[in-house]
Amino acid sequence: MTATTDTSTSPTTPTPSTASTASTPPVSAPAAASPAPAASAADSAGLPDPGAAAGLHSSVITWFGANARDLPWRRPEAGAWGVMVSEFMLQQTPVVRVLPVYEQWLARWPRPADLAAEAPGEAVRAWGRLGYPRRALRLHGAAQAITERHGGEVPSEHGQLISLPGIGEYTAAAVASFAYGRRHAVLDTNVRRVFARAVSGVEYPPNATTAAERKLARALLPDDETTAARWAAASMELGALVCTAKSPECGRCPIAGQCAWRLAGKPAHTGAARRGQTYAGTDRQVRGKLLAVLRDTSAPVPQSQLDAVWHEPVQRARALDGLVADGLVEPLAGGVYRLPLT
């Protein structure tokens, strides 16, 4: 999975044919018996019992039905391609920054074949200031593979999706679930945080996704495909809007009464230090400035014009070399540069 910022990956609801909650009747967690029964196998493994899991599903899915944001990639007309584009763009990028670029992208390239027919440099240019521009090249590569291998249609099977260039476990699961209503555990940062608090009783998940988290996500996944797809989107939305990293709003959380972290008194995080994101003065900032010059013109750019965007020559050269190595910039004879044509 690709790591995301706290609000970068917005859930994409399945299309209406898969988004109904009719097959998910409200289920309440079973009342505690006295004396307490022996721990179940799920309890001993640190996993929720089926009754508690069903209660989580019902509460979160019901909340989602009333609170889900109206986002373009959630609408039926977005289709699987719209869902895939949104998933690439939302990695480590907030929804508010993605929305205008997403709309422009789909207006220009409504099908994978439309993007595949363009030079990869045009994808980088259209990516604008979303950041992490290698995602644009990967999306272009995926569009080419979809056009060549799948007749221009985004495949629905997880195995076919994950074989596309630039698509990992998270994106394959997200597209299969959100676009086609398939049953997959979709683990982004928001979902991992919800599960860490509600089930594991800790404030934050580990910095990198663990095998234990994947096991928990699979254990929490509803058996029914339609409900599982709805649950994936709903739990992600809960993390994005309510169970946020810095200011969780427990007062309006639909599962506050079942949240292990809240019931334990909200113990402070004791794990590894959480990674912060810095930008000013980094190579990322220099790369962005260099790419901005190249995006603003269709003609090759001389070295001197690139030199003017950053004062420190060693860092500037390192950033430019990195862009070339990543395939984002193409050097030409005579000391000029352009966005890639092939």
Side-chain angles (χ1 to χ4, degrees):
M1 156 185 151
T2 305
T4 58
T5 56
D6 295 329
T7 58
S8 66
T9 304
S10 168
T12 310
T13 56
T15 55
S17 62
T18 61
S20 170
T21 59
S23 61
T24 318
V27 181
S28 300
S34 181
S40 67
D43 293 333
S44 64
L47 303 176
D49 64 72
L56 292 173
H57 300 155
S58 176
S59 297
V60 175
I61 289 172
T62 299
W63 170 87
F64 183 61
N67 295 277
R69 289 169 291 179
D70 178 21
L71 298 170
W73 45 85
R74 290 179 169 166
R75 299 167 191 159
E77 61 268 24
W81 174 238
V83 170
M84 178 176 284
V85 170
S86 76
E87 288 300 330
F88 271 80
M89 290 185 173
L90 288 163
Q91 294 166 15
Q92 300 178 289
T93 308
V95 168
V96 67
R97 290 182 57 202
V98 166
L99 281 169
V101 181
Y102 173 89
E103 298 279 14
Q104 294 164 10
W105 191 284
L106 267 294
R108 181 173 179 180
W109 298 308
R111 301 170 304 164
D114 299 320
L115 176 59
E118 294 266 20
E122 287 306 302
V124 176
R125 193 189 312 279
W127 200 254
R129 298 185 181 276
L130 282 183
Y132 302 100
R134 278 177 289 182
R135 293 179 292 169
L137 290 182
R138 291 168 183 160
L139 185 51
H140 184 273
Q144 289 181 316
I146 290 168
T147 303
E148 294 166 2
R149 304 177 198 168
H150 302 286
E153 298 296 327
V154 176
S156 61
E157 297 300 323
H158 183 273
Q160 293 176 320
L161 286 163
I162 207 168
S163 71
L164 296 173
I167 292 190
E169 171 61 34
Y170 165 78
T171 304
V175 173
S177 179
F178 299 153
Y180 293 109
R182 299 298 174 84
R183 182 180 181 272
H184 291 286
V186 183
L187 272 176
D188 84 328
T189 300
N190 292 311
V191 176
R192 294 174 61 225
R193 188 169 56 253
V194 168
F195 291 176
R197 290 173 179 171
V199 180
S200 303
V202 296
E203 186 176 12
Y204 299 117
N207 281 333
T209 307
T210 64
E213 287 182 283
R214 294 188 177 93
K215 181 177 181 180
L216 174 59
R218 291 192 296 268
L220 285 171
L221 201 58
D223 292 332
D224 173 69
E225 272 204 334
T226 299
T227 309
R230 188 72 166 170
W231 163 251
S235 55
M236 195 178 290
E237 187 81 326
L238 184 67
L241 298 184
V242 175
C243 193
T244 58
K246 294 182 179 179
S247 304
E249 298 185 52
C250 300
R252 66 186 189 98
C253 177
I255 55 173
Q258 299 162 267
C259 177
W261 180 61
R262 177 180 170 276
L263 294 174
K266 299 183 181 179
H269 178 64
T270 58
R274 298 176 66 230
R275 292 192 296 257
Q277 287 192 333
T278 58
Y279 183 73
T282 64
D283 284 5
R284 277 187 58 217
Q285 183 183 23
V286 184
R287 285 163 60 102
K289 287 181 174 293
L290 294 171
L291 275 181
V293 174
L294 295 165
R295 280 198 311 268
D296 288 343
T297 178
S298 58
V301 172
Q303 177 79 53
S304 59
Q305 192 172 339
L306 295 174
D307 288 346
V309 305
W310 195 254
H311 63 283
E312 210 290 305
V314 174
Q315 187 179 28
R316 186 179 65 236
R318 182 172 66 242
L320 182 58
D321 288 345
L323 290 171
V324 172
D326 289 341
L328 290 162
V329 172
E330 184 178 348
L332 303 175
V336 297
Y337 298 82
R338 69 183 179 192
L339 296 178
L341 294 182
T342 59

